[in-house]
Amino acid sequence: MEQAARCQVDWQLAPFLKGFCEEPFTQEVQQFLRRHAADFRATGLAGESGYPLRWTELHSDYVQLFERQLKSVVQEEGFSLQDFHQHLSELCEAARSRNSEDFLPGCEPSYIPPAPGIKVAELWTFLDALTASTDFAHFVEVMQRAGEVPEGGYPPSEPRRR
């Protein structure tokens, strides 16, 4: 019974996660990364304390991207932030035991309504981007990696161990 209830919750919350994986939003994040990656290339900061003020400004812009999308998805799907965090936690737990090309539970492809599904690798990429929106040091890492990625590629991501 508990398994069935959890499955129902996954199914209900899947659109919430999919809202962050929508093509327009992921393209906007990728464009941001490409547009600003050069600002984060090696700048001779070794031995210096702090970061350039520009990085802080860009982080604020990046945070706003995610906050705007979060508000939009919450409003559209009618879930609380707590539901979202709980769901992400459960998805991460499930993803750790799956291959990167496997679909997340409750996020499998469907025909009605039409949905391509969300794979484990997409979850890790999303979490990498989301974490960068809340953690400045991680944002700097993501932006520096973005500077190393060929045009059209998204920074490689692996699950972060906490």
Side-chain angles (χ1 to χ4, degrees):
M1 180 85 145
E2 184 178 318
Q3 181 83 7
R6 189 177 318 119
C7 183
Q8 179 70 14
V9 170
D10 282 350
W11 179 82
Q12 290 172 343
L13 289 173
F16 197 77
L17 180 58
K18 288 176 184 176
F20 279 96
C21 296
E22 290 174 343
E23 187 83 17
F25 181 68
T26 59
Q27 285 181 352
E28 187 175 7
V29 171
Q30 289 174 357
Q31 288 171 358
F32 182 94
L33 296 175
R34 282 191 300 270
R35 192 170 48 248
H36 300 294
D39 293 333
F40 291 81
R41 291 198 177 102
T43 59
L45 288 175
E48 296 179 23
S49 63
Y51 296 101
L53 178 59
R54 176 72 179 139
W55 292 8
T56 304
E57 293 167 350
L58 288 172
H59 183 245
S60 177
D61 293 345
Y62 190 81
V63 168
Q64 288 176 17
L65 276 176
F66 277 85
E67 286 179 352
R68 186 183 70 240
Q69 187 70 4
L70 179 62
K71 287 177 186 174
S72 171
V73 172
V74 166
Q75 183 178 10
E76 188 175 312
E77 299 302 330
F79 291 103
S80 72
L81 211 42
Q82 184 179 4
D83 290 338
F84 177 64
H85 288 284
Q86 178 64 33
H87 184 58
L88 281 181
S89 177
E90 291 170 4
L91 286 175
C92 286
E93 187 176 320
R96 285 187 185 98
S97 64
R98 289 177 165 74
N99 294 320
S100 63
E101 291 301 309
D102 291 344
F103 287 99
L104 294 167
C107 299
E108 294 86 0
S110 65
Y111 295 104
I112 302 173
I118 299 174
K119 294 184 178 183
V120 169
E122 294 171 305
L123 174 69
W124 295 134
T125 299
F126 161 72
L127 287 176
D128 198 39
L130 181 64
T131 301
S133 77
T134 60
D135 180 324
F136 179 76
H138 189 66
F139 169 74
V140 170
E141 291 173 21
V142 167
M143 293 305 294
Q144 288 174 334
R145 281 196 322 256
E148 301 167 2
V149 173
E151 185 69 24
Y154 195 79
S157 175
E158 293 186 14
R160 289 187 57 175
R161 303 291 176 208
R162 297 182 197 260

